[in-house]
Every structure is written in structure tokens, then in C-alpha cells.
Amino acid sequence: MPAKAPPKLKKTKLQLGKQKEKKSQERRMKKRQREAEEADLYKRRGTSNRRERGAIRERRPHVIMRDRLESIRTGIEKRSTSGPFHRPVNRKALPRYYEVIHEPIDLQTIRDKNQRYEYRTADAFLRDFELMKNNAIKFNGEESFLGKEATEIYEFVKKTVAENREEFDAMEKAVQEQLNSGRKRKKTSSNSKPASSDTTG
């Protein structure tokens, strides 16, 4: 005859089961909330296909801006002489660098910032390349190989932005309108919520 589980063990199993069910419910709620937000964001009735929703997302202004900036950054990364700027300077190998340079920047960091949609304008993107140039000159000297390479990279980005200014202006305007629209929706949603009444016993 199998031994019965002690009451304490049964209670522990019951608690674990309830916690698991609670987490499962939270996941389902988050999923439903995300789907509702997507439906509101893209304003596409009847769009339940995940691939189609992804395609719609890729046409959003902030995504278009991100992809355009990334195409410039990727082009720089392909330069045969840009290797020293691909990743952050190794702190262990060159600790002095961080004593001299207080705002380090590199192509990987720029990529990560762009992936988080931190660049809302082409000028903000350009400023990080200017910072990269200034850092290289400050630490290595203006006539050094790295100083010259960073200057060439900056000039390339500056020229690309200038030559495509109308395109960037249109994208920036669309991104700003998207942000303003999102704020208006949040404000409307907040104002439409009924005020909770406090009751005292």
C-alpha cells in the first residue's frame, strides 16, 4: 500500500499549482493586451495573421527610419579600415582610454541605440558619428590613422544626410506625427476611464 503524502507536502504542491495557473493567466492577459494594442496601432480590422501584422509593423514610420539609418551604419561597417570602430574599446586592454574619453561611442553602440529607436532625427544619428570622430582625434591625434578614418566616416554620414535631407525630413515628420498620435490615444483612454469611488465602512 503506497504511503500517503504528508499534509504539508500536499499543501506545497497545491500552492505551486496555483502559482503556475496564475502565471499562465498573466501570460494570456498580456498576450490579449498586446493583440489589442496592435489592432489599435495598425487600425487593420480582421488582420489576425501574424506575418501580415509583422509586415504592417515594418511599414511604421519609426521602423522605416530605423532601417534607413541602419543601412548607412552597415555601409560604414563594411569599410575595410573601419574595424577599430566596430565595438567598444576593450577596457582591460586599454584602461587609459576611459580616463581620457568620458562619452565613448562605436558602431555597435550606435546599432543598439538605433534598434531601440533612440534616433528620432538624422541629426541625432549624425551627432554620434561626430562624437566618434572627436573621441578618436582626442585620444589618437588628428593626423593619426584612427583620427583620419573617424573623420572620413563622419564626413560620409554628413554628406549622406545632406544629400537625402528631404527624405529624412519626411521620415522625421512621420515619426513625430506617430508619437503625437500615440500620446493623444493614451490621453483619451485615460480621460475616458471612470473615476473610482472610495467607500468607507
Side-chain angles (χ1 to χ4, degrees), residues 29-170:
M29 284 179 66
K30 284 180 181 178
K31 185 180 178 182
R32 284 197 294 269
Q33 185 180 1
R34 187 170 64 250
E35 288 173 348
E37 286 173 352
E38 283 188 353
D40 178 58
L41 183 63
Y42 305 128
K43 296 180 180 179
R44 283 286 298 269
R45 293 182 181 179
T47 301
S48 59
N49 184 280
R50 183 175 294 179
R51 183 179 295 177
E52 190 175 350
R53 288 202 306 271
I56 296 167
R57 186 184 295 109
E58 291 304 310
R59 294 196 294 272
R60 299 296 292 176
H62 67 295
V63 179
I64 294 170
M65 169 71 90
R66 179 203 67 187
D67 292 347
R68 184 68 179 90
L69 296 177
E70 176 60 14
S71 70
I72 298 171
R73 192 204 68 84
T74 302
I76 292 162
E77 205 169 50
K78 288 178 180 177
R79 286 170 63 101
S80 60
T81 49
S82 68
F85 300 100
H86 285 189
R87 292 176 181 79
V89 172
N90 188 307
R91 191 178 290 271
K92 288 183 179 179
L94 202 60
R96 183 173 167 273
Y97 182 83
Y98 292 92
E99 294 172 6
V100 177
I101 303 301
H102 304 296
E103 287 186 82
I105 194 73
D106 57 272
L107 292 173
Q108 180 177 290
T109 301
I110 291 171
R111 181 200 66 195
D112 293 344
K113 288 178 69 174
N114 193 32
Q115 288 295 323
R116 295 192 297 268
Y117 305 109
E118 291 187 23
Y119 299 117
R120 295 180 182 176
T121 66
D123 286 340
F125 181 71
L126 178 61
R127 277 194 295 272
D128 269 351
F129 283 94
E130 185 176 18
L131 176 62
M132 193 166 76
K133 177 197 76 171
N134 293 340
N135 287 349
I137 291 172
K138 183 177 181 180
F139 190 78
N140 302 283
E142 193 169 357
E143 295 303 315
S144 66
F145 164 75
L146 291 177
K148 289 179 178 179
E149 175 65 10
T151 300
E152 285 185 20
I153 289 172
Y154 168 70
E155 291 298 333
F156 169 78
V157 178
K158 185 179 178 182
K159 183 181 177 183
T160 303
V161 170
E163 289 177 346
N164 298 276
R165 178 51 72 182
E166 286 187 11
E167 178 192 357
F168 282 116
D169 284 348

